[in-house]
Amino acid sequence: MALLQIAEPEAASGPREPRRAVGIDLGTTNSLVATVCDGVPRALPDEEGRVLLPSIVRYLPGGGVQVGYEAQAHQGDDPKNTIASVKRLMGRGLKDVARSGNAPYDFVDAPGMVQLRTVAGVKSPVEVSAEILRVLRLRAERALGGPLAGAVVTVPAYFDDAQRQATRDAARLAGLEVLRLLNEPTAAAVAYGLENAAEGVYAVFDLGGGTFDFSVLRLARGVFEVLATAGDAALGGDDFDLRIARWALAQAGLGEPAAKDARRLVLAARAAKERLAQQDETPLVCELADGRRLERVLSRATFERLTADLVDRTLAPVARALRDAGLSPADVKGVVMVGGATRMRHVQRAVAEFFGRAPLNDLDPDQVVALGAAMQANVLAGNRPAGEDWLLLDVIPLSLGIETMGGLVERIIPRNSAIPTARAQEFTTFKDGQTAMSIHVVQGERELVADCRSLARFELRGIPPMPAGAARVRVTFQVDADGLLSVSAREKSSGVEASVAVKPSYGLTESDIERMLRDSVEHAREDAQARALAEARVEGERLAAAVRAAIAADGALLAADERAELERLLAHLDAALPGADTAAIRRAADALNRASEPFAARRMDAAVRRALAGRSLADLDV
Amino acid sequence: MAVTLTENAAAHVKRHLARRGKGVGLRVGVRTSGCSGLAYRLEYADAVNPDDLEFESHGVKVVVDAKSLPYLDGTELDYAREGLNEGFRFRNPNVKDQCGCGESFNV
Ligand SMILES: Nc1ncnc2c1ncn2[C@@H]1O[C@H](COP(=O)(O)OP(=O)(O)O)[C@@H](O)[C@H]1O
Ligand SMILES: [Mg+2]
């Protein structure tokens, strides 16, 4: 413990107060708040010592509001006014919600986001979430003895812009200054990565109450890189509860229960499920509205049989994410278990079997996201000493690359490469007789130059005139131990060179980097489509230009009908190029390419004959 | 009901008071702050207020305000050296839960 000095009476405030910042896991089922004290993250309990706050809000006729356990107790008898799993409604329209089915609420269609009719009036999911966040804010303020400097609030990785914005609005409505929204798996990685400083590829397996989220991350020196994510936004512990409830009804020979009974039964089922993490069998008891009593004993074996397919359903996204990351299960050094539902034995077993190793659960799966968020909040609030507040010292925080045709980025040094490092890649000219090449150095994870940060431009001049594609320009990126980037370009046949030195991290704050990384994850699919379209266009344009140049140069090698066919296909490609239909451009280009193949072969023969006529073989740099 | 000093702690307090040139003793208290709720106050006492309690320990007057006393009762203050740091350490039997920094605690 700290050693204290005697202070002057006036200086009653003592040493500088750290800025109080918290991390909040706003969960579908449970929410909680955590903070860092002297480098140690911890969840803050309520007055009764409970850390988890059920994400349930009940509206009362007089305008009162109950949140958490108090509200949960009325889920059965006041379902319409007791809002659970509101996170599923955040940023969602009525159409999205209607698909998910059996919620007992009175939905009101509203522009943008669905709303709920309650006894206290129509409420938006943002308002409902704000009630939960407000309770957590008050809890934190009481524990920390004053107003908060800010909060990091976590969101699932798959949340889109509307959902993120809704979460941000809810926090603001609850009186919280949002320092940042953080992806949940990232928060879990922060908690594990910084706590244990273990390096390697890790996976985060997050099975909560209503969502499944799987992420593959690389941890190195406290820096994490998201390699891939996948999940199922409609799979979680709730589904296991429903299975048990349905089983109990079938066992008792009952049909569809009234909404009230259904709620009660599901609560009883959930409690039974949670007990089965410890016990081999457990009683399931539920009083029905008509006074009847449903009583069964549920064994773990039965439970696992009833829900085996749900566990299997988690493995499909797992396999997909690994495939996306180009990894096999054996490459994963550890699987971090997040979410209360990962306590189920058969989930643990399935994960262990899939990866061939026992999953990691040293940190409380309920708390790990909030703990990581708290650590992030602590850094953002400036409570870390200089030097420790910056984790990305000896790796490249964002990929470095150059612009290629069509405004695309060709990555040369990938993000998180250790420095010093040097990598080279060969490029060629795009046009016949091109004598200069403009090299545009960019930084970022996005596929399009426009979405990345421009670092430097320079020109390589004096390339001898050659046909398109014949020049061989080697571009070398070198990053020294201080993070200083120099880029050089050399044309091989002539030896002409040009270079430039840039400081890649200049002007990039941690939040810039975070934002750019987040953008790259959020826009991955969009980018892939944009990239495919841009590539198809570049290819198409290149092909059209080449065919036109060939016709102009060697039209004599073509028969009249061949020439007419090529002209027709060229016009067809020209028409497709400006459009946004990637497949149509590809088809048109393929057709032109196939049709021009015999012509290209004839031209090649002629060119080789011409070239060899005046040169010896030794001159040919092949 | 008491808050006491070790002999070593008392000697240091006396030296500090002598160097300061004024003050009737040492004021010990708690305030709300930090992650786990409460933090210690350690100040020179220039006066004794009506709701203060006074204790005598190895020739040093220890002043505690009535509100703080329940959290501090039975506490012994020691003087310790830890590496390069020296200072006063609270041995408080009421503490259930202490934050990592030791600056704040719960009772
Ligand atoms: N011991 C347990 N065994 C099985 N499931 C559990 C256990 N403890 C909690 N859960 C389940 O975890 C889910 C909630 O997980 P949580 O991580 O809090 O969810 P969310 O992130 O969706 O808020 C619920 O379905 C709950 O029943
Ligand atoms: Mg969660």
Side-chain angles (χ1 to χ4, degrees):
Chain A
M1 84 158 263
L3 296 173
L4 301 181
Q5 308 301 330
I6 308 175
E8 285 299 324
E10 294 79 17
S13 56
R16 186 186 87 89
E17 288 285 325
R19 279 162 46 84
R20 304 175 186 94
V22 296
I24 293 181
D25 176 0
L26 182 61
T28 312
T29 314
N30 295 300
S31 300
L32 68 155
V33 58
T35 194
V36 171
C37 181
D38 199 37
V40 182
R42 35 187 280 171
L44 298 171
D46 66 7
E47 275 160 337
E48 261 130 285
R50 298 173 302 204
V51 161
L52 295 184
L53 177 72
S55 303
I56 303 176
V57 176
R58 180 184 182 212
Y59 290 96
L60 304 172
V65 179
Q66 294 174 329
V67 181
Y69 289 101
E70 242 186 326
Q72 189 178 44
H74 293 282
Q75 246 186 314
D77 58 56
D78 189 17
K80 283 202 180 344
N81 299 307
T82 308
I83 318 298
S85 300
V86 68
K87 188 172 176 180
R88 284 187 184 283
L89 310 179
M90 292 289 273
R92 295 271 127 155
L94 182 62
K95 265 196 267 102
D96 307 313
V97 172
R99 254 188 283 117
S100 65
N102 50 7
Y105 313 122
D106 266 347
F107 289 122
V108 181
D109 202 0
M113 208 184 308
V114 67
Q115 310 217 330
L116 302 152
R117 184 171 290 115
T118 74
V119 67
V122 173
K123 302 286 174 189
S124 86
V126 169
E127 290 171 275
V128 180
S129 298
E131 295 293 350
I132 298 166
L133 290 167
R134 188 173 295 123
V135 169
L136 293 174
R137 174 174 66 84
L138 294 173
R139 179 192 293 187
E141 285 178 352
R142 196 166 43 235
L144 302 182
L148 304 178
V152 167
V153 182
T154 59
V155 289
Y158 61 81
F159 255 28
D160 63 19
D161 276 348
Q163 292 168 301
R164 283 168 199 266
Q165 193 52 50
T167 305
R168 205 177 258 283
D169 291 347
R172 216 173 290 138
L173 193 59
L176 285 164
E177 161 96 14
V178 182
L179 299 172
R180 182 167 303 168
L181 297 180
L182 187 64
N183 284 338
E184 287 160 12
T186 304
V190 165
Y192 269 93
L194 301 184
E195 286 278 88
N196 304 341
E199 304 201 348
V201 173
Y202 283 82
V204 179
F205 185 104
D206 182 348
L207 190 61
T211 57
F212 174 59
D213 201 1
F214 181 77
S215 319
V216 184
L217 312 169
R218 196 200 312 276
L219 295 174
R221 279 171 246 123
V223 180
F224 55 85
E225 175 190 9
V226 180
L227 299 180
T229 62
D232 187 335
L235 177 63
D238 295 348
D239 299 299
F240 292 73
D241 306 345
L242 289 173
R243 285 290 167 83
I244 297 178
R246 229 172 279 152
W247 167 84
L249 287 171
Q251 287 279 307
L254 296 171
E256 272 306 299
K260 248 185 202 178
D261 283 345
R263 284 283 182 112
R264 269 191 218 169
L265 184 55
V266 165
L267 276 187
R270 176 182 300 183
K273 171 195 73 177
E274 293 179 4
R275 287 193 298 273
L276 286 177
Q278 305 299 329
Q279 300 164 8
D280 293 336
E281 59 171 48
T282 188
L284 176 74
V285 183
C286 184
E287 305 265 0
L288 298 179
D290 59 10
R292 276 182 304 167
R293 198 176 151 86
L294 197 156
E295 204 167 345
R296 286 279 173 265
V297 171
L298 177 61
S299 71
R300 189 190 291 146
T302 303
F303 170 59
E304 292 183 352
R305 187 171 46 74
L306 289 172
T307 55
D309 63 309
L310 295 176
V311 177
D312 287 345
R313 261 173 66 192
T314 64
L315 295 178
V318 169
R320 197 177 342 126
L322 286 175
R323 209 167 45 237
D324 289 351
L327 295 168
S328 71
D331 297 325
V332 176
K333 241 178 116 177
V335 187
V336 175
M337 297 299 255
V338 179
T342 60
R343 290 207 180 84
M344 286 184 284
R345 302 277 187 100
H346 56 331
V347 172
Q348 298 259 346
R349 223 163 43 227
V351 171
E353 256 163 45
F354 186 93
F355 286 95
R357 61 170 63 243
L360 293 173
N361 32 29
D362 340 348
L363 296 181
D364 186 328
D366 291 326
Q367 294 187 12
V368 56
V369 167
L371 297 179
M375 292 164 82
Q376 183 73 38
N378 194 47
V379 173
L380 293 175
N383 291 337
R384 299 269 295 273
E388 265 179 55
D389 55 352
W390 181 246
L391 300 167
L392 306 169
L393 284 175
D394 40 9
V395 296
I396 294 179
L398 291 167
S399 301
L400 297 166
I402 71 171
E403 173 171 355
T404 62
M405 286 307 296
L408 295 175
V409 177
E410 181 76 32
R411 253 166 242 170
I412 296 193
I413 301 187
R415 177 160 71 93
N416 285 353
S417 298
I419 55 177
T421 183
R423 306 250 175 119
Q425 201 152 314
E426 224 162 78
F427 295 89
T428 189
T429 44
F430 183 70
K431 289 200 190 104
D432 286 344
Q434 186 178 339
T435 58
M437 199 163 167
S438 164
I439 293 171
H440 182 196
V441 183
V442 298
Q443 181 177 38
E445 305 313 309
R446 301 288 300 274
E447 300 282 1
L448 299 181
V449 168
D451 297 322
C452 288
R453 184 190 172 83
S454 169
L455 291 179
R457 285 174 197 272
F458 66 104
E459 288 221 328
L460 177 65
R461 295 179 178 281
I463 301 172
M466 280 179 257
R472 285 159 64 189
V473 177
R474 193 172 173 78
V475 175
T476 306
F477 274 50
Q478 188 157 6
V479 182
D480 69 14
D482 295 325
L484 206 71
L485 168 69
S486 47
V487 180
S488 60
R490 183 171 190 274
E491 200 286 310
K492 278 189 155 179
S493 66
S494 60
V496 293
E497 265 191 77
S499 65
V500 66
V502 266
K503 183 107 173 64
S505 60
Y506 176 75
L508 273 191
T509 66
E510 192 188 3
S511 66
D512 286 336
I513 289 173
E514 176 85 15
R515 179 180 49 74
M516 291 168 87
L517 292 183
R518 205 180 54 218
D519 283 354
S520 78
V521 173
E522 281 166 12
H523 295 290
R525 185 186 300 154
E526 196 183 297
D527 275 5
Q529 285 162 357
R531 181 175 189 108
L533 178 60
E535 270 172 2
R537 277 197 189 135
V538 169
E539 280 302 313
E541 277 161 14
R542 193 202 302 271
L543 181 67
V547 172
R548 286 210 167 86
I551 293 175
D554 293 317
L557 297 172
L558 284 172
D561 60 332
E562 283 177 323
R563 182 167 184 145
E565 176 64 0
L566 288 182
E567 301 280 7
R568 189 184 67 80
L569 292 170
L570 268 171
H572 192 62
L573 178 58
D574 282 345
L577 278 175
D581 186 345
T582 307
I585 296 173
R586 288 228 176 94
R587 275 196 306 274
D590 282 350
L592 178 61
N593 198 26
R594 267 196 311 278
S596 63
E597 258 165 29
F599 177 41
R602 259 174 264 161
R603 288 192 71 221
M604 190 65 81
D605 289 346
V608 169
R609 271 197 305 275
R610 272 200 302 270
L612 289 182
R615 296 171 88 183
S616 76
L617 263 180
D619 290 336
L620 296 175
D621 180 19
V622 194
Chain B
M1 294 273 274
V3 173
T4 57
L5 302 178
T6 63
E7 206 171 333
N8 190 16
H12 277 93
V13 174
K14 277 186 219 160
R15 196 143 36 84
H16 279 110
L17 279 167
R19 207 185 302 151
R20 183 169 178 259
K22 63 170 181 174
V24 299
L26 182 69
R27 177 177 293 282
V28 181
V30 297
R31 63 193 162 88
T32 53
S33 114
C35 349
S36 2
L38 294 169
Y40 297 112
R41 277 170 73 179
L42 192 60
E43 295 168 13
Y44 299 107
D46 286 327
V48 179
N49 304 322
D51 62 345
D52 283 341
L53 291 108
E54 292 173 53
F55 307 99
E56 189 81 15
S57 192
H58 297 289
V60 173
K61 183 180 296 203
V62 178
V63 181
V64 182
D65 65 288
K67 273 204 216 115
S68 293
L69 191 62
Y71 302 108
L72 290 173
D73 191 24
T75 295
E76 182 185 55
L77 260 166
D78 192 11
Y79 195 83
R81 179 200 297 270
E82 266 177 13
L84 296 174
N85 296 322
E86 287 183 41
F88 294 90
R89 191 201 299 280
F90 282 76
R91 290 216 193 88
N92 184 348
N94 306 295
V95 172
K96 268 203 244 126
D97 192 12
Q98 175 168 292
C99 102
C101 39
E103 224 160 72
S104 59
F105 58 94
N106 265 327
V107 294

